[in-house]
Amino acid sequence: MTDVSGSGSNPLLDGLRIEPTPEPTTLVIFGASGDLTKRKLLPALYQLSRGQRLPARFSVIGVARSEMQDDSFRQHYFDSLKEFADVDERTEVADALARELSYLSGEMDDPALYARLAQKLGDLGTDGVLFYLAIPPNVYATVVEQLSAAGLLKPREDRGWRRVIVEKPFGTDLESARALNATLHRHLDESQIFRIDHYLGKETVQNLLVFRFANGMFEPVWNRRYIDHVQITAAETVGVERRAAYYEHAGALRDMVQNHLMQLLSLVAMEPPITFSAENVRDRKLDPLLSIQPLLEDGRSSNVIRAQYTAGWVNGKEVPAYRDEEGVRPDSVTDTYVALKLLLDSWRWAGVPFYIRTGKRLPKRTTEIAIQFRRPPLHIFKRLSPTVIASNLLVVNVQPDEGISVRFEAKLPGTRMQLAPVMMNFRYGSAFGRAVPEAYETLLLDAMLGDPTLFARHDFVEASWALITPVLEAWKASSEKKTPTYEAGEWGPREAEAMVAADGRRWRTL
């Protein structure tokens, strides 16, 4: 393994950095007592404060059904830092942010709650207000309608701004996504709506744009002439855990493919934007989705494989089958694994398959994009070296070890001509000598700055659902009550291997 990352301080990063700071902001978190707030949002706010990225005037109002006082919410915040941000002791930064936290309890459909919220926002007097909907999807419309009725979605006296962050899942199919978009658009302009996908906040995902469009050596070969195929993998070692109530109605196709993996595919396949602006980037990201060939032919598809894990071993621990997990129906046909073959009707990608797979209880936790190039047209070393030349490979590691790797052929040291593949690795953790921010830090900051580049637009969401919904409907209408299976700790079912093998290819070994 050849490491080109370097170590220590990077002189290119030394000196003055000019980074934008948001205007005075109040963040209102609906669902403030929930798991997302504790695990992600509160630690992200602490890290932003620690990095001096929050505005000078910044406050947080937590809103939830749970009864809690301001001091209790602040203790909830300290507990989250200890558990999820490794902050064991009260620090000056943590105490300073805690003083800006307050809490309101009430029912999400109670106008009195929003009257109290309006009063509190008036007392704080900040011109910018960001509402974060960290609540179940079936409550999104209720909260937005109540905010609108209370006059909270319009800046006071035409000053400042009002924005809403909507968590995933954004709908359960095309019809529900369109209905939710219609509800939001009745009360908000599209520029006020930030549909969050935490994958887009990851450093490596953002760097994919820089990698493609800021380097003259890669873009000329980023097409069907040089690329054989693309594989996108999102593997989890965990099972359904405590999410059975949600996952039974979702499955892997809804939970991962429709949002996260479609976003990754678009970043790989998109054309260069005219400028690096939110609208230009999001326009070009939409194009690949619109060019994907339908997944169903005559109501059936051989290019979509679903499966469900059975009992097995993961990381040396015996784990139960999906149907034996708490809260799962004993006859469930929910997909915990999905593999797809996607073909794009575009000049750049004609004939280049995109293979996508995601699943739970797989051997390794990783998310990566692997771009395999075509082999050289002539193996001129075959008489001197019996080694079969491996295809050049470019791997974008999205998580957990963020970075980019390139595989190429090199001569082995010695007197004989022998070839072997080697990897060059770039890793964020060591290349720049600074910590990689969590995705929610980046996305919260961008929302406060009003930059929607890393958020999904309404037409992207609907285009993604338009591709996936026919498959979901075909599964629902199918008389088959048996789902293919794979043993926990394996890389998926035989059917997924056969789908790729039919094209003379195989899944990359991770």
Side-chain angles (χ1 to χ4, degrees):
M1 300 282 282
T2 304
D3 193 343
V4 297
S5 63
S7 60
S9 175
N10 188 325
L12 295 176
L13 298 179
D14 292 341
L16 180 64
R17 293 188 183 92
I18 301 175
E19 297 178 326
T21 301
E23 299 172 357
T25 301
T26 297
L27 172 63
V28 181
I29 304 175
F30 287 90
S33 62
D35 193 58
L36 175 64
T37 301
K38 186 175 184 180
R39 284 176 174 269
K40 297 296 184 180
L41 302 186
L42 294 176
L45 291 174
Y46 168 78
Q47 295 296 350
L48 286 172
S49 179
R50 187 165 170 258
Q52 299 182 330
R53 300 307 314 278
L54 293 178
R57 289 180 58 203
F58 178 77
S59 53
V60 178
I61 303 174
V63 181
R65 296 175 60 190
S66 305
E67 290 289 340
M68 202 183 302
Q69 301 300 318
D70 290 352
D71 288 342
S72 301
F73 184 47
R74 289 167 186 149
Q75 186 57 52
H76 183 73
Y77 156 72
F78 287 120
D79 292 343
S80 77
L81 297 189
K82 184 175 182 179
E83 187 173 357
F84 300 108
D86 295 325
V87 180
D88 293 327
E89 298 181 1
R90 298 272 286 267
T91 66
E92 184 177 344
V93 173
D95 284 342
L97 184 56
R99 289 192 290 269
E100 306 303 327
L101 269 58
S102 58
Y103 187 86
L104 293 174
S105 61
E107 296 295 330
M108 297 295 131
D109 59 354
D110 183 4
L113 170 65
Y114 298 86
R116 288 186 286 128
L117 177 59
Q119 179 63 49
K120 198 165 190 63
L121 288 170
D123 294 341
L124 291 170
T126 49
D127 291 337
V129 181
L130 178 62
F131 299 100
Y132 198 118
L133 307 189
I135 51 180
N138 62 337
V139 193
Y140 293 162
T142 298
V143 171
V144 169
E145 288 167 349
Q146 290 289 344
L147 287 171
S148 179
L152 293 175
L153 296 180
K154 293 183 179 180
R156 54 188 194 123
E157 300 174 2
D158 296 324
R159 298 201 317 271
W161 47 265
R162 298 290 186 272
R163 300 180 189 124
V164 176
I165 295 180
V166 185
E167 265 288 345
K168 67 174 277 284
F170 196 90
T172 57
D173 55 18
L174 179 58
E175 182 181 359
S176 60
R178 283 175 172 167
L180 181 52
N181 274 328
T183 299
L184 294 178
H185 287 153
R186 280 198 299 270
H187 305 286
L188 295 156
D189 184 78
E190 177 65 23
S191 65
Q192 295 178 275
I193 305 168
F194 289 69
R195 300 170 190 81
I196 198 167
D197 185 332
H198 70 271
Y199 265 51
L200 292 180
K202 294 181 180 297
E203 282 290 310
T204 316
V205 173
Q206 298 177 68
N207 195 58
L208 188 54
L209 289 171
V210 178
F211 183 81
R212 285 193 57 191
F213 303 129
N215 296 292
M217 62 188 295
F218 298 114
E219 184 58 23
V221 298
W222 208 267
N223 55 60
R224 58 187 171 82
R225 289 188 60 193
Y226 299 99
I227 292 177
D228 180 76
H229 71 278
V230 178
Q231 292 186 24
I232 302 176
T233 299
E236 298 179 275
T237 56
V238 298
V240 70
E241 296 184 306
R242 295 172 295 176
R243 301 175 68 215
Y246 160 74
Y247 204 83
E248 271 288 87
H249 298 284
L253 190 62
R254 281 190 175 100
D255 189 46
M256 291 293 293
V257 176
Q258 181 274 327
N259 40 68
H260 301 324
L261 301 188
M262 287 296 106
Q263 293 281 0
L264 297 185
L265 180 148
S266 289
L267 289 170
V268 174
M270 65 185 281
E271 294 297 322
I274 298 172
T275 61
F276 190 71
S277 67
E279 286 309 299
N280 271 293
V281 170
R282 298 201 291 180
D283 284 346
R284 298 289 72 78
K285 281 177 59 184
L286 178 62
D287 294 339
L289 257 65
L290 298 177
S291 73
I292 296 175
Q293 294 180 10
L295 291 171
L296 289 184
E297 290 184 11
D298 300 324
R300 302 188 64 182
S301 175
S302 59
N303 292 338
V304 183
I305 305 297
R306 61 170 170 165
Q308 188 182 94
Y309 65 81
T310 60
W313 292 78
V314 179
N315 292 334
K317 180 182 177 181
E318 190 172 12
V319 297
Y322 175 75
R323 292 184 177 184
D324 294 330
E325 300 273 18
E326 183 178 352
V328 175
R329 292 178 289 110
D331 60 346
S332 172
V333 294
T334 298
D335 48 300
T336 65
Y337 175 100
V338 177
L340 304 91
K341 174 186 173 182
L342 303 177
L343 296 171
L344 279 60
D345 287 331
S346 73
W347 191 270
R348 181 185 292 264
W349 297 110
V352 178
F354 282 69
Y355 300 106
I356 293 177
R357 60 176 170 171
T358 182
K360 291 185 175 296
R361 293 296 191 202
L362 300 182
K364 181 181 179 181
R365 175 182 174 264
T366 185
T367 300
E368 70 160 44
I369 304 165
I371 297 157
Q372 183 165 312
F373 291 85
R374 298 185 185 277
R375 286 189 171 91
L378 183 64
H379 183 10
I380 64 173
F381 300 102
K382 60 184 178 182
R383 294 183 180 179
L384 301 174
S385 176
T387 308
V388 177
I389 291 180
S391 298
N392 296 142
L393 188 70
L394 191 150
V395 180
V396 179
N397 303 100
V398 177
Q399 65 178 10
D401 189 15
E402 294 93 342
I404 298 174
S405 302
V406 178
R407 183 179 74 191
F408 59 95
E409 288 288 321
K411 178 185 175 298
L412 285 171
T415 57
R416 295 179 58 200
M417 177 60 74
Q418 289 185 297
L419 280 63
V422 296
M423 296 288 285
M424 286 200 309
N425 301 306
F426 156 70
R427 293 289 178 265
Y428 273 96
S430 55
F432 298 119
R434 58 192 298 192
V436 177
E438 284 290 325
Y440 279 92
E441 296 174 42
T442 299
L443 296 171
L444 280 169
L445 183 62
D446 279 359
M448 285 187 270
L449 290 168
D451 182 355
T453 306
L454 300 179
F455 295 83
R457 202 167 61 187
H458 67 99
D459 48 2
F460 185 98
V461 172
E462 292 181 16
S464 182
W465 277 121
L467 179 70
I468 297 301
T469 298
V471 177
L472 295 170
E473 291 174 345
W475 287 351
K476 185 177 181 180
S478 173
S479 59
E480 297 179 12
K481 297 301 180 182
K482 185 178 179 181
T483 302
T485 60
Y486 62 100
E487 185 178 317
E490 293 183 347
W491 276 110
R494 292 189 299 272
E495 290 84 349
E497 298 288 344
M499 179 182 71
V500 178
D503 295 336
R505 302 180 178 94
R506 62 180 182 178
W507 290 108
R508 170 172 145 78
T509 302
L510 302 177

